[in-house]
Amino acid sequence: MDLSKANLKNTEFWDCINVVLPQYDIDSCIAATTANPTWLHVGGGNIFRAFIARINQRLLNQGLTDTGIIACGTMDYENFERVYKPFDNLSIICDLRPDGNTGYEIIGNITEAIAADYSMPEKIDRLNEIARNPSLQMISFTITEKGYALRDADGKLYDAAAKDMENGPSHPVTCMGFIASLLLERFRAGKYPLALVSMDNCSHNGDKLKSSVTEIVDAWIDKGFADADFRDYINDPNKIAYPWSMIDKITPRPSDEILNKLINLGIDNLNSVKTTNGVFVAPFVNAEVPEYLVVEDLFPNGRPDLAKGGVILTDRETVDKAERMKVTACLNPLHTALALFGCLLGFTKISEEMNDEDLKTLVTKMGYNECLPVVCDPVILNPEKFLKEVLEERFPNPFLPDTPQRIATDTSQKLPIRFGITINSYMNDAPEKLPELKLIPLVIAGWLRYLLGIDDSGKAFEISSDPMADFFRNELKAEGICFGMKESVAGKLTKILSNETVFGIDLNKTGLTPAIERYLDSMIKAEGNVRKTLHAAIAD
């Protein structure tokens, strides 16, 4: 049986293999959404289908809305052509439970999947039509933190961003330029209100979105592409809102094992593909069951009853606390620690790392002893319970095919949030405790050791993509730091550790530099020294 809209009518087949079907009429949903769209989502990746689209489907199943979600892509259009269109925009969500059982649900509420491809005017016309419709309540985003960036680490505009500012709204290249162009369409159509909801895993994501859109709009106004009152429109919270959010759900790349399971169930036309941009995509998503989405309740044009779909709606301060709890203490820094040392020690699954006593002790001690003490309790989520779930259920889940190599991607972009905020908290609130930090400095040293691209057995490996990797590898090389060096690295990391953009703070001012140097010095001396250094550090 192929995965298709027509074949969903064969309910006996899907019931027989325990696949949950949409509990609403898909054609009616498509018609209602086409006429009066309420939700446009930018970014059609795994977490969108496994979590965000599912929130809307829950509302449809309960009869609390009659419209679905329109998906939009600003890059990697192959995703839509190869795993959306051939399957009528359907996806199978595979819930990977720690007991080994898998739950299956078909998502049927993605009514359109539109590439923001300016070489295809009909697609841009449709997106502009959606933007002009007064019914549109929100545009949400999962484009990764890089998608909001207009400038590099030195503050220089990327070429694409500079072109968008120079050329105006007719043919933007960046995602932020594209969003600014949609807002201009909406402004000219009637100054209709709208919420722009970043659901990306980065701190104060709403502010990042607003800042980038505003910078482009300011340039357009200066060059005469838009009137000055357009700036007032995008900065009026009663017109355009940029709520903060915190999202959490682990959605690894498609697993061949899960693909084979689905094929063995009798679903014939499934496949997994690698796009030309190196992204692995499939008409199914394998994901863990736990999920959290905390959103600031700012929706000037109204919103569906998101709470009934599993969203926690609250105020900005609470979102900030929940985000800091997760991103700076209870999950993300631990994930980064496992990613870096997992790559160095030859692991290919996060869950297998949790069977390694040294690595399990590393993240447990770091979480409870170094990160948790400076977390503000968001109340809506209990930090200790959250951390316990991460360490005892989520990371150890052997059926979740997540890899340290995936988590190690873009580490330079993650360090200032995952570690810098915690170190700053100690600097501001408990400076006398800074000398007691041992494992956070170990992980920072671990990142520098990882950048050498030599594992603990002395073999070269390919590091994951990272926009700042080459810069720091050259910095290390300039200082003569390499695997097997005999002299000490003491005094050679001062410039590197002063980079506040990457570390969130000048680490030389924290007193942690000697510890970082000592750990790195130990780890680069010989084969097996990463393991020895790790074991000694967690034993202290």
Side-chain angles (χ1 to χ4, degrees):
M1 179 74 68
D2 286 352
L3 176 64
S4 68
K5 188 155 66 73
N7 284 339
L8 295 190
K9 296 175 182 178
N10 188 343
T11 57
E12 184 177 347
F13 168 78
W14 300 104
D15 289 344
C16 182
I17 59 174
N18 295 315
V19 174
V20 177
L21 298 177
Q23 303 300 300
Y24 51 90
D25 183 75
I26 293 178
D27 289 332
S28 297
C29 176
I30 292 172
T33 309
T34 301
N36 293 295
T38 57
W39 193 340
L40 175 67
H41 184 85
V42 181
N46 290 338
I47 198 165
F48 163 63
R49 290 180 289 155
F51 191 3
I52 296 161
R54 209 172 188 181
I55 290 167
N56 174 255
Q57 174 146 302
R58 289 167 186 155
L59 300 179
L60 285 160
N61 286 340
Q62 297 174 70
L64 297 174
T65 187
D66 63 352
T67 56
I69 297 184
I70 298 168
C72 168
T74 58
M75 59 181 295
D76 219 1
Y77 306 141
E78 285 179 81
N79 191 14
F80 289 166
E81 291 300 316
R82 300 180 71 178
V83 301
Y84 273 70
K85 186 177 180 180
F87 304 95
D88 299 330
N89 296 338
L90 302 175
S91 291
I92 303 175
I93 311 305
C94 307
D95 294 316
L96 307 181
R97 298 165 181 149
D99 62 4
N101 292 315
T102 303
Y104 304 101
E105 180 178 2
I106 291 177
I107 297 295
N109 60 324
I110 302 172
T111 61
E112 298 175 76
I114 310 171
D117 185 348
Y118 282 82
S119 69
M120 305 180 74
E122 69 279 6
K123 294 185 182 296
I124 301 303
D125 289 345
R126 173 56 181 153
L127 289 165
N128 286 337
E129 179 185 28
I130 293 166
R132 291 191 296 264
N133 199 315
S135 66
L136 189 66
Q137 295 178 324
M138 73 167 124
I139 302 177
S140 55
F141 301 81
T142 50
I143 56 175
T144 76
E145 188 165 4
K146 292 183 293 185
Y148 305 94
L150 302 181
R151 298 176 180 274
D152 62 21
D154 295 325
K156 181 183 177 183
L157 276 174
Y158 289 117
D159 289 343
K163 288 179 181 178
D164 279 359
M165 293 178 187
E166 182 68 29
N167 298 334
S170 63
H171 199 291
V173 179
T174 67
C175 181
M176 296 295 97
F178 165 66
I179 295 303
S181 73
L182 292 187
L183 290 175
L184 185 57
E185 290 286 331
R186 192 166 182 82
F187 169 75
R188 289 171 173 169
K191 301 182 181 179
Y192 302 124
L194 186 68
L196 300 182
V197 191
S198 171
M199 296 179 178
D200 275 297
N201 185 20
C202 54
S203 181
H204 301 174
N205 44 22
D207 284 355
K208 292 182 187 298
L209 172 56
K210 181 179 181 180
S211 176
S212 293
V213 169
T214 300
E215 186 171 2
I216 289 175
V217 168
D218 284 344
W220 287 353
I221 292 171
D222 290 344
K223 294 182 180 299
F225 292 114
D227 296 331
D229 51 351
F230 181 40
R231 181 190 291 113
D232 297 334
Y233 170 71
I234 67 163
N235 286 312
D236 181 353
N238 294 314
K239 292 293 186 180
I240 304 298
Y242 307 83
W244 293 5
S245 73
M246 183 280 277
I247 193 166
D248 182 25
K249 186 177 181 73
I250 299 173
T251 53
R253 59 178 264 190
S255 161
D256 288 341
E257 182 180 349
I258 298 302
L259 173 61
N260 291 332
K261 275 188 176 183
L262 292 167
I263 292 172
N264 289 335
L265 287 174
I267 308 172
D268 299 323
N269 62 333
L270 303 183
N271 60 357
S272 179
V273 299
K274 183 180 181 181
T275 70
T276 53
N277 286 345
V279 178
F280 289 88
V281 292
F284 65 91
V285 180
N286 36 241
E288 65 172 349
V289 175
E291 57 187 22
Y292 302 91
L293 180 57
V294 183
V295 178
E296 182 184 6
D297 197 0
L298 286 179
F299 293 84
N301 201 31
R303 57 166 173 75
D305 193 351
L306 296 172
K308 295 287 179 61
V311 177
I312 300 173
L313 294 161
T314 184
D315 55 52
R316 175 165 290 200
E317 181 181 0
T318 304
V319 173
D320 189 35
K321 289 180 179 179
E323 190 264 341
R324 287 187 63 172
M325 177 204 74
K326 179 236 174 185
V327 176
T328 73
C330 296
L331 192 150
N332 295 66
L334 314 184
H335 234 171
T336 291
L338 289 174
L340 299 174
F341 282 99
C343 291
L344 288 168
L345 295 173
F347 286 90
T348 57
K349 283 188 72 174
I350 293 290
S351 59
E352 290 174 355
E353 291 189 69
M354 294 302 287
N355 293 324
D356 182 287
E357 199 59 37
D358 286 342
L359 292 171
K360 180 180 178 181
T361 302
L362 167 65
V363 291
T364 301
K365 282 190 171 183
M366 188 170 74
Y368 281 110
N369 299 344
E370 298 190 359
C371 297
L372 200 58
V374 290
V375 165
C376 294
D377 187 351
V379 180
I380 58 169
L381 297 171
N382 181 281
E384 289 194 21
K385 289 182 179 179
F386 189 94
L387 179 58
K388 180 180 174 66
E389 180 185 55
V390 165
L391 293 171
E392 297 182 12
E393 297 178 36
R394 299 176 66 183
F395 284 176
N397 183 346
F399 304 98
L400 190 67
D402 207 6
T403 69
Q405 291 74 23
R406 181 184 81 90
I407 303 301
T409 301
D410 299 334
T411 297
S412 68
Q413 310 296 291
K414 301 169 181 176
L415 291 174
I417 305 301
R418 299 188 179 192
F419 296 98
I421 287 179
T422 293
I423 295 171
N424 268 296
S425 294
Y426 277 102
M427 282 283 288
N428 295 329
D429 303 328
E432 74 282 358
K433 297 287 187 181
L434 268 173
E436 298 177 15
L437 298 182
K438 295 182 176 63
L439 303 182
I440 289 176
L442 174 68
V443 176
I444 293 171
W447 179 56
L448 299 175
R449 172 65 178 81
Y450 162 87
L451 287 174
L452 299 180
I454 304 292
D455 69 17
D456 200 30
S457 65
K459 296 178 182 177
F461 70 91
E462 183 179 353
I463 69 171
S464 301
S465 63
D466 187 324
M468 294 295 291
D470 287 343
F471 173 82
F472 278 100
R473 295 181 85 170
N474 288 334
E475 291 284 294
L476 290 167
K477 185 177 180 180
E479 295 291 346
I481 298 173
C482 60
F483 177 72
M485 68 180 289
K486 301 303 180 184
E487 63 270 29
S488 172
V489 303
K492 296 180 180 293
L493 297 182
T494 303
K495 181 182 176 183
I496 291 174
L497 298 181
S498 69
N499 192 315
E500 295 186 33
T501 300
V502 168
F503 297 110
I505 189 173
D506 181 346
L507 290 171
N508 298 301
K509 297 178 181 179
T510 67
L512 297 176
T513 296
I516 297 170
E517 290 177 337
R518 185 171 64 254
Y519 286 134
L520 180 61
D521 190 63
S522 175
M523 286 190 284
I524 64 176
K525 284 293 186 261
E527 296 175 15
N529 271 31
V530 171
R531 171 68 72 178
K532 291 177 182 177
T533 306
L534 169 63
H535 187 76
I538 62 173
D540 284 349

